[in-house]
Amino acid sequence: MNKDWMPKPNKAQWKRISQRFESLWNLSNCIGSLDGKHIRIEKLPNTGSSNLNYKAYHSIVLLGCCDADGLFTMIETGYAGRNSDGGIFRASAMKYWLTRKELDIPSPSKLQYDENDCEFPYYFVGDEAYFHYRHI
């Protein structure tokens, strides 16, 4: 049996990722950057236009979450190129884990430079494709 896989980060790893986002990018409590990437492919047999994307080439989509250094912490791939980033996210294991609180994300914490001493949640950054999911 092949045991090669990418485990989900745990609470301690999320905190280290957050500290790196703070030191490199001044983003407090950020635990990842989400985005999709179209990977150009030759048209697969018997797929019609399912892999034809909005840029008019055939692709599969990789949905990835990266740390502050651009290293993957979670990935999903194999989605047909015709799908949008938001649509892929809606169908993804990442969204499933987020909505069921299965990512072991730390509880909100106080921000280093916040004079109000309020607790702030940990979060992912992404473009407008993920905007509707800000309240997960």
Side-chain angles (χ1 to χ4, degrees):
M1 176 193 273
N2 185 350
K3 298 217 179 218
D4 290 340
W5 56 287
M6 180 181 283
K8 295 181 284 188
N10 61 35
K11 198 169 293 200
Q13 291 166 322
W14 287 129
K15 285 185 177 186
R16 281 194 300 276
I17 290 168
S18 172
Q19 291 165 352
R20 188 74 173 149
F21 267 105
E22 173 73 35
S23 69
L24 285 180
W25 307 109
N26 199 27
L27 289 172
S28 301
N29 287 16
C30 182
I31 56 174
S33 176
L34 291 171
D35 205 3
K37 174 67 178 162
H38 285 269
I39 311 297
R40 188 183 295 261
I41 62 170
E42 289 186 27
K43 184 180 177 305
L44 299 171
N46 304 315
T47 59
S49 61
S50 65
N51 289 314
L52 189 63
N53 66 30
Y54 69 98
K55 295 182 179 183
Y57 64 85
H58 292 274
S59 65
I60 57 170
V61 181
L62 176 138
L63 174 63
C65 180
C66 291
D67 65 14
D69 294 295
L71 302 174
F72 287 118
T73 55
M74 296 185 288
I75 60 168
E76 292 188 45
T77 190
Y79 294 97
R82 66 179 159 78
N83 295 300
S84 67
D85 286 357
I88 291 169
F89 182 73
R90 278 192 297 277
S92 72
M94 288 180 212
K95 179 186 176 257
Y96 178 87
W97 295 331
L98 276 170
T99 57
R100 286 163 181 76
K101 301 186 185 327
E102 294 180 14
L103 282 178
D104 200 24
I105 294 173
S107 298
S109 66
K110 295 177 181 172
L111 301 177
Q112 184 174 358
Y113 301 107
D114 183 14
E115 295 175 4
N116 296 317
D117 211 29
C118 296
E119 292 191 336
F120 193 80
Y122 287 84
Y123 63 94
F124 296 95
V125 293
D127 62 20
E128 66 276 2
Y130 309 99
F131 179 72
H132 297 289
Y133 303 100
R134 69 186 182 278
H135 296 294
I136 292 177

